[in-house]
Structure formats: structure tokens, C-alpha cells
Amino acid sequence: MRKRDILILLAAVAVAAAVALTVFAGSALPTGSWGLSFRQEGQAPIGNAGVDQLKRYDAMYIGDTQEKVLYLTFDAGYENGCTAQVLDTLKAHNVTAAFFLVGNYIQRNADLVRRMAQEGHIVGNHTMHHYDMSKICDKEAFSKELKDLEDLYRETTGQELAKFYRPPQGIYSPDNLKMAQELGYKTVFWSLAYVDWNNDSQPTREQAFAKLLPRTHCGAVVLLHSTSRTNAQILDELLTCWEKEGYRFGTLTELFETA
């Protein structure tokens, strides 16, 4: 084979390899719902996207897995009469949490939202209408969902909304993550949660602890729903358990500083 032919062949192989890598990279972070696989009690779960994959989009689901720190977050699509108790408990433990809110929550519960801000909690963006954002491909429409909530929060509290985004229902796409990043947002998934959102079938205290405590791990981003009556009732005991185990509570700002 002549040298020229060898060079052409090598070039073709390089192009094919580059294409294959591009295809793989594109499929490595598919559109879907955030999910976790717990392999061992007390150890960090595996997410359906890796830490390094998410970093490209300023997204995280877990912190330093060698440090006994927890990042407490709450999602709130509506008010169920439990948030004041949650805030009371957080204040008693001197714990700062993050609340991801939607538009109707802020509109209907302005006093609670102002209390969150006044007591030092982070309020993050859960979008204006809690749509499946993976179906919104237009950047202008995506931006409006986040910016309308920013405006509403500013009108309600006089403060700027923190630039943390949690996709409704944990449904995401690479394009969504990129658009959020371009808007200056950091996307926050989670590494510890349980089925606490169904108010027609709330877990018992025993069921909640059986799910949460064995899966607690260093660097956990904890997702709870402030609509849960069970969460409001057990939060004091839960925080006490974590504190006795040597955990401290960090903020989302700190979480991304460790990235």
C-alpha cells in the first residue's frame, strides 16, 4: 500500500472514531427522568448521569462523598399547611435549606415565601408553571418559564431569586440543561429522596425513617416535599438523628463551590 493510501486510510479511521465519540457523547446524557440506583447501605447511589457528565452543564446531584455534609432541599408545588412547621423546625436547628418554588406557590403564599427569604433560606427556580421542560425546545419559551418566576419573586420579596434550577418532576434534556446554564443557572438534582409527595398515601414515620436513614450518605443532596404531613411531623427527629450521626448541613452555594 502506498504511503498516500495509508494516510488516507488513517484519516478515514480518525474521522470515523470522532463521529463515534460524538454519537456516544450525545447519547450519554439522554432526555429522561432523574433516577438513582442504591447499591449499598450508607453509600452514595449512582445517578442515571455521572458527576462529570453533569458538570459540563453546571449541574450536580451529590457533593463530596468523603465529607459528612448534607444539603437539604424542599420542592413545593402548592401549600398544604405544613411549611410553617417545617420552617419552625429548621430555625430551631439553625439549618439553612433550599426551597424550589413554582409560580402559583409564590402568588398564593407570599408571607411564607418572604419568611423563607428573611430566615436565610435559598429560594430556587422550579419554573413558573411546572411544565415538562424537556418538551420545550424553544430557548425563548424556556427562558420565559424561568424569568417570569424571577420577576414574581422579586415583586414579592424585593430580592433577587437565587440562580438554582430544579427541573419539574426531575425531567430533563441536555438542551434544557444547556439553556439553563446559558441563563446563569446551576441545575440541582438529588441523591436522597423517598415517596413523600402522595398526600392520599402518606408514609408512616416508621416507613419514612426506614427509607431515609439507611440511604443517608456523605455529600447527599436531600429532596423532601414540604407538602408532606409526614415530613413536617418527623423533621425535628430526622435532623436530630443526622446531627447525632455527625452530619452538618451545607448550602447549595457551598455545594457548587466544591465542584
Side-chain angles (χ1 to χ4, degrees):
M1 183 179 290
R2 291 180 299 175
K3 183 177 181 180
R4 178 174 177 275
D5 293 334
I6 292 173
L7 290 174
I8 290 172
L9 178 60
L10 289 174
V13 170
V15 170
V19 170
L21 286 171
T22 300
V23 170
F24 175 79
S27 64
L29 191 60
T31 297
S33 294
W34 183 249
L36 299 166
S37 175
F38 286 89
R39 306 294 178 87
Q40 186 177 343
E41 185 173 305
Q43 298 298 310
I46 297 172
N48 55 0
V51 170
D52 290 336
Q53 292 171 306
L54 292 174
K55 278 184 180 179
R56 295 180 304 178
Y57 302 95
D58 289 330
M60 293 185 71
Y61 79 98
I62 195 169
D64 186 347
T65 56
Q66 302 302 311
E67 184 180 0
K68 298 203 80 170
V69 57
L70 304 175
Y71 303 93
L72 192 58
T73 72
F74 293 87
D75 283 3
Y78 59 96
E79 178 54 37
N80 197 38
C82 301
T83 304
Q85 184 178 351
V86 168
L87 289 169
D88 289 343
T89 301
L90 293 173
K91 187 174 183 178
H93 284 260
N94 196 29
V95 171
T96 300
F99 290 83
F100 286 91
L101 307 181
V102 298
N104 72 73
Y105 188 97
I106 297 176
Q107 290 166 339
R108 297 176 181 176
N109 304 281
D111 287 345
L112 282 172
V113 177
R114 283 191 283 266
R115 181 180 172 187
M116 292 171 190
Q118 290 165 359
E119 295 184 358
H121 301 292
I122 286 174
V123 175
N125 204 320
H126 207 32
T127 74
M128 190 68 185
H129 296 101
H130 204 262
Y131 295 144
D132 175 351
M133 298 299 283
S134 70
K135 295 180 179 177
I136 299 179
C137 300
D138 178 69
K139 185 175 181 179
E140 184 175 346
F142 182 92
S143 176
K144 182 173 172 57
E145 272 296 302
L146 273 62
K147 288 188 174 181
D148 282 355
L149 194 84
E150 292 175 16
D151 293 342
L152 179 59
Y153 181 77
R154 186 184 306 110
E155 293 165 6
T156 303
T157 67
Q159 299 184 20
E160 295 299 318
L161 188 74
K163 290 280 189 171
F164 296 106
Y165 164 63
R166 175 163 282 159
Q169 303 176 68
I171 302 175
Y172 65 94
S173 72
D175 286 344
N176 284 171
L177 297 181
K178 184 65 175 175
M179 286 188 281
Q181 183 183 42
E182 290 172 350
L183 290 169
Y185 277 88
K186 299 182 186 302
T187 298
V188 185
F189 291 105
W190 58 89
S191 64
L192 178 60
Y194 78 117
V195 181
D196 62 348
W197 60 85
N198 185 353
N199 281 305
D200 293 327
S201 182
Q202 278 288 285
T204 64
R205 170 197 172 278
E206 291 72 23
Q207 289 170 335
F209 278 95
K211 288 292 185 182
L212 291 169
L213 293 183
R215 293 178 173 180
T216 300
H217 53 275
C218 292
V221 177
V222 183
L223 164 60
L224 300 174
H225 286 79
S226 58
T227 55
S228 167
R229 296 185 300 276
T230 297
N231 286 343
Q233 292 163 3
I234 70 168
L235 187 59
D236 178 65
E237 186 179 358
L238 180 61
L239 296 181
T240 299
C241 285
W242 281 332
E243 289 163 347
K244 286 181 178 179
E245 291 176 6
Y247 286 100
R248 68 176 184 85
F249 297 92
T251 67
L252 294 185
T253 301
E254 177 189 339
L255 171 67
F256 281 88
E257 286 174 350
T258 66

